[in-house]
Amino acid sequence: MNRFKASKFRHTEARLPRREAWISGVRAGSVPSCGNHVKSSCRWIAFSAEAAGVLGIVPLECEDGGKRTISQLCCHSDVVTDFDFSPFDQLLLATGSADETVKVWRLPESGQDIPGGVGLTLGPGEAPVDVLQFHPTADAVLASGAGKRVTVWDLGQQQPLTVLDSHGDQLQSLTWKRDGRLLGTSCKDKKLRIFDPRAGPAASQSVPGHDNNKDSRLLWMGSSDCLISVGFSQMREREVKLWDTRRLSGAMFTMALDTSPGVTIPLYDADTGLLVLAGKGENLLYCFEVAPTQPALTQVTQCRTEGSTRGLAAVPRLALDVMACEVLRVLQLTDTALVPVSYLVPRKSVQEFHEDLFPDCTGMLPATDAQGWWAGDSQQVGRVSLHPARRPTETFTSPIIAGTGPTNAGHTDTDTGHTDTDTGHTDADQSEASGYSSPSSLASPGSVATSLSASTGPSSGFASSPSQKSLQSLLGPSSRFRHAQGRALHRDQHLTNLRGLSLTTPGECDGFCANQQRVALPLLSAGGQIAVLELSKPGRLPDTAVPTIQNGAAVADLTWDPFDPWRLAVGTCVPALPGCARRVPQLQGLITPLTTARPLWCTAGEDARIRLWRIPEGGLRETLQEPEAILRGHTEKIYSIRFHPMASDLLVSSSYDMTVRIWELSAGREVLCLRGHTDQIFSMAWSPDGKQLATVSKDGRIRLYEPRRSSQPQQEGPGPEGGRGARLVWVCGGDFLLVSGFDSRSERRILLYRAQALPEGPLSVLGLDVAPSTLLPFYDEDTSVVFLTGKGDTRVFLYEVTPEPPYFLECNSFTSNEPHKGFVFLPKTVCEVREVEFARALRLGQSSLEPVAFHVPRVKKEYFQDDLYPPTRVWWEPALAAGAWLDGQDGQQRRASLRPADMVPVSEAPKEAPARKFVPASVYLEEKSDEQKKEELLSAMVARLGNRDDPLPQDSFEGVDEDEWD
């Protein structure tokens, strides 16, 4: 009869809260990992933030009904892959990272401003840490999975107790049995394994799990002998399986869910038997009741949420609202919020405690410690009541890390400078090893960038939160451009009906180039054709062919001469057309004679040649077939070309032959050749003063040259890890280098280096997102704002770069409706300062070119905003000639103000007297009494209803004669 007994949870309902109950203002990370990306204790919630190596920390409950403050924990030098709260010490958090280390942190007590603990660091190991889980019965025991092995740590001794390394492939999940005796794992080799860590490092049992090697998860069903696994079948269906370790030859129950590609996150509550499943990237939550004895999975309910799931966590049972019959609560992490979803059992009486729904649960006092458990102690954690009047009030503080309040761990007041008896660290040491940021919204992850060292990354520990009460000390520094807005200008300024565009230019090329007067666009047609369009003539292009440049070879890179708006340089990619080559006479095998009377344009290509083209006054009216000059010297195809920022007639080029060559155009010769690269050169950039040249290459190195002194690099440092592409740009007056690239997990990130200390590695690293295209940076030296976007993106990131921590201050980003094929910025002189516009770009779409203006919202726009517009460098005038620069001279360009003659600087605007806010006494003297107000209200109502003696409308209706009635 028990088989057919109805479950008390069969009517469980999932209730989504109102938006007011959401924890909003977060920005979740998109790092692919095996973790759940969000975890909860009875005090805190931790979740993956967008910035690499950063976790968001927020209280589980609001205090006094106020708004919860989100803080950031900068804990690792690479992405955080998984993390877990101790089941006993609610302030203890363990984190694992791709930097191959495990760290343990003590979070502050709720409401405290100054956290005082120092974290532990375990490792680094031999592989990125993938999964973490604390032991369920013993304090200070932690299991971590990295690569093909599981390490069981004694946190008190900071040493491994054992290493379980009999896995055949990448570990995907691990789970402890609730009695703490056994540990189960799932692996990419499609096997499930059971270990008794105290008996030996080999698996005691193993069985084929799911037929597909995509991510699988394994959960132990409390203290029973049964497990739950989720994964994918051979047909790529998501499935759930139940296993019995007493008969582990195969699954005792299998159920297919659907064919969705999202990895399933499972949450199981052993006290109720409820299993919640959610797919990453989806908005559907399943809830099943598990009956292992039958065995069966019975669907209880499912709910559809507003946002897509990035992560999922269960709230501890001791934090549930039992008087509302809340039997389970999960936290759904979306892109912008944490959404608590409550599972309630409807009962008529909600004023009493329902013992049948809330049996005693596992308490928070450990049964033993690490050494006791390893010696064979298998005592179990005591059970406690969930009744509000009988709940335990004692709390446990693990002795492995000193607490923030009075504890028996030997911790003293950090404000007095006394040392911690367990660690010997002083207060100054703790502030140096800062990992805890001041409270700030994770909507601005750039406000607390991850600081790291090239060798060890950030140290463990917390920094003291600021005690000042000023807004800036509480929220951290913010950018003047944080409210910057980007908008596409009116359609009458667009160039439309663009046809035959080449959308396959190499990654080292921006896709097209522009100056203040015209734009050059590579075309897809044979022969490396380039369209040159005048920006002063917007509108729809004719359907007929427009005049083009016949470059003779596919375009690899192209750029305008900053000192000559009619000269273009083009580098090519394939053998030149015979007709074009024959028409160009050679000079000493290097360069054809240059005509200096007219301006030039230069192109670089794959046939190892650089062509210089001159655009006629007024633009192209006919096809241009003969270049003014051809530079020869490279032996392999050319990657990129750049003009010198200070000296005229100087051009630098990089090639697949691993050399960087500098050309003097006026003399028609190669003057310098820089060597030292061992792989593809991704990007190069001149310093603002033109003295140095920086490069980043596929060999993962950043190099700094002083071309006039040596052909070998003066400095080298570690660059981005991935070999998919990188860019660099000089920032902060030439004292720093900003590099965009990828990490080992294909996440796009930006790195900041001190230019004169490249071997020390990056000062700061900021992860942005996961996308295939390389981020193309543009730096505005007047505002110190860097713009970052990639070909094929729809979003442009904006950050203000500062020479002091936190280095990156996030600003509003710009988003377009469709992906752009290129995004190039125009000179500062085209900006409309009357509209507080500080940057303008051209966005290349599928068939259109539209200008995008970035401006700062200001109230007094009638004044010139001189705080946003310092005197700009006159970049369009050379400071010296090529020969003078080669002789060792250094020029300096003058600066000019962007202020129109008829505008007054806002700093000189007259100060307005503050308006007095008071209510005249006459208002009080003429205040009407309550009786007067009633009379006026009644009179108004009567006027709307009309007079009682007025005839009704139906009185005027005509009926039928009496004799017509029957």
Side-chain angles (χ1 to χ4, degrees), residues 735-789:
D735 294 330
F736 296 84
L737 277 169
L738 185 144
V739 182
S740 65
F742 297 86
D743 67 359
S744 58
R745 294 173 177 261
S746 298
E747 183 190 28
R748 297 195 297 188
R749 49 173 46 189
I750 53 177
L751 305 90
L752 189 68
Y753 296 79
R754 193 177 300 279
Q756 302 307 318
L758 290 184
E760 298 178 5
L763 292 171
S764 181
V765 177
L766 181 64
L768 297 184
D769 59 3
V770 177
S773 60
T774 305
L775 285 168
L776 311 178
F778 168 78
Y779 179 72
D780 179 18
E781 61 183 29
D782 292 342
T783 60
S784 199
V785 173
V786 64
F787 302 78
L788 301 126
T789 189

Side-chain angles (χ1 to χ4, degrees), residues 46 78 81 115 130 151 203 220 227 230 264 341 366 400 426 452 521 553 618 963:
D78 209 332
T81 50
D130 294 307
T151 304
W220 216 295
L227 298 104
V230 295
T264 306
V341 182
I400 60 172
T426 64
L452 69 148
L521 303 162
D963 56 1

Side-chain angles (χ1 to χ4, degrees), residues 38-46 60 85 90 313-316 331:
V38 58
K39 292 288 179 68
S40 173
S41 71
C42 290
R43 299 282 189 89
W44 294 100
I45 303 170
L60 177 64
F85 280 101
Q90 300 300 296
V315 173
L331 297 170

Side-chain angles (χ1 to χ4, degrees), residues 157-215:
Q157 300 296 323
Q158 301 184 37
Q159 295 291 333
L161 295 171
T162 184
V163 177
L164 315 175
D165 55 0
S166 59
H167 298 88
D169 207 332
Q170 184 77 24
L171 199 72
Q172 292 178 331
S173 71
L174 63 84
T175 177
W176 285 103
K177 190 176 181 181
R178 193 160 73 174
D179 61 12
R181 292 182 172 91
L182 301 177
L183 182 143
T185 65
S186 65
C187 184
K188 196 174 181 179
D189 63 4
K190 298 183 285 189
K191 285 189 177 182
L192 308 180
R193 293 175 173 83
I194 306 299
F195 294 86
D196 183 351
R198 294 178 293 187
S204 58
Q205 298 184 75
S206 66
V207 64
H210 298 269
D211 295 332
N212 196 304
N213 64 0
K214 289 186 66 176
D215 282 357

